[in-house]
């Protein structure tokens, strides 16, 4: 079994600090604020490309992160905050063609681009337009690998 990331409370805190300047808030994130910032898929792709083109790092940071994990045995993968599937290119050739990838993101507009990215790398994908709190309803060991 591949190690599982269990740092959900920290991720939620980082989101709150990012979107609300660290102010004390209720436990629930303001979904409409998140959607207004992140639903522009084309703009996010353009910015990601711009960042990569100006990076002085000769290697893709996603590949560097995956070098430390043996992903070949993973058959059920969850990507929290999957966005439009930008991480999937780094998974290509590192996971079994039999793997199933579930992308979870609060932005429904990411569903089409995420599933397209799954098809491009030849794996079965599904998308859940839900927040990270959804993982608390999953039975233990539902996923071999969780990317967050």
């Amino acid at each position: 079994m591949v190690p599982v990331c269990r740092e959900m409370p920290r991720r939620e805190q980082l989101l709150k600090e990012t979107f609300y300047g660290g102010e004390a808030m209720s436990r629930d994130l303001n979904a409409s604020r998140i959607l207004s910032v992140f639903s522009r898929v084309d703009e996010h792709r353009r910015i990601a490309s711009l960042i990569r083109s100006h990076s002085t790092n000769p290697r893709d940071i996603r590949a560097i992160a995956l070098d430390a994990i043996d992903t070949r045995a993973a058959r059920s993968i969850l990507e929290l905050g999957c966005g439009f599937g930008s991480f999937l290119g780094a998974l290509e050739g590192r996971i079994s063609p039999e793997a199933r990838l579930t992308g979870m993101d609060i932005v429904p507009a990411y569903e089409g681009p995420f599933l397209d990215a799954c098809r491009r790398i030849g794996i079965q994908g599904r998308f859940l337009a839900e927040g990270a709190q959804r993982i608390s309803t999953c039975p233990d060991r539902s996923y071999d690998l969780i990317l967050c």
Side-chain angles (χ1 to χ4, degrees):
M1 202 56 71
V2 179
V4 173
C5 173
R6 296 201 183 266
E7 302 208 16
M8 300 308 298
R10 178 68 182 140
R11 180 174 169 80
E12 185 173 308
Q13 183 59 38
L14 287 173
L15 283 171
K16 287 179 182 179
E17 290 169 5
T18 300
F19 294 111
Y20 307 108
E23 299 171 15
M25 309 210 58
S26 69
R27 193 166 198 289
D28 294 326
L29 297 173
N30 183 330
S32 65
R33 173 86 171 131
I34 292 170
L35 291 171
S36 73
V37 172
F38 286 101
S39 61
R40 297 178 299 271
V41 175
D42 290 337
E43 185 174 331
H44 281 272
R45 283 185 168 151
R46 185 181 61 76
I47 291 168
S49 177
L50 183 65
I51 290 169
R52 279 192 298 277
S53 71
H54 287 80
S55 175
T56 58
N57 188 350
R59 290 197 59 216
D60 186 325
I61 192 66
R62 300 166 301 175
I64 293 169
L66 288 171
D67 283 348
I69 303 170
D70 181 5
T71 57
R72 293 170 297 184
R75 294 298 183 268
S76 183
I77 302 167
L78 172 65
E79 184 179 359
L80 297 172
C82 65
F84 48 85
S86 64
F87 201 92
L88 297 184
L91 283 174
E92 188 171 13
R94 292 177 179 260
I95 58 175
S96 167
E98 291 87 38
R100 292 180 334 272
L101 181 69
T102 300
M104 188 182 297
D105 203 294
I106 194 169
V107 181
Y110 290 155
E111 181 175 11
F114 176 81
L115 294 175
D116 288 344
C118 288
R119 282 188 286 277
R120 273 194 307 277
I121 67 167
I123 61 168
Q124 180 183 355
R126 76 177 184 145
F127 181 88
L128 301 174
E130 300 185 54
Q133 70 277 7
R134 167 71 160 79
I135 196 170
S136 66
T137 66
C138 297
D140 286 348
R141 303 189 189 282
S142 294
Y143 298 97
D144 300 321
L145 175 65
I146 298 178
L147 304 169
C148 48

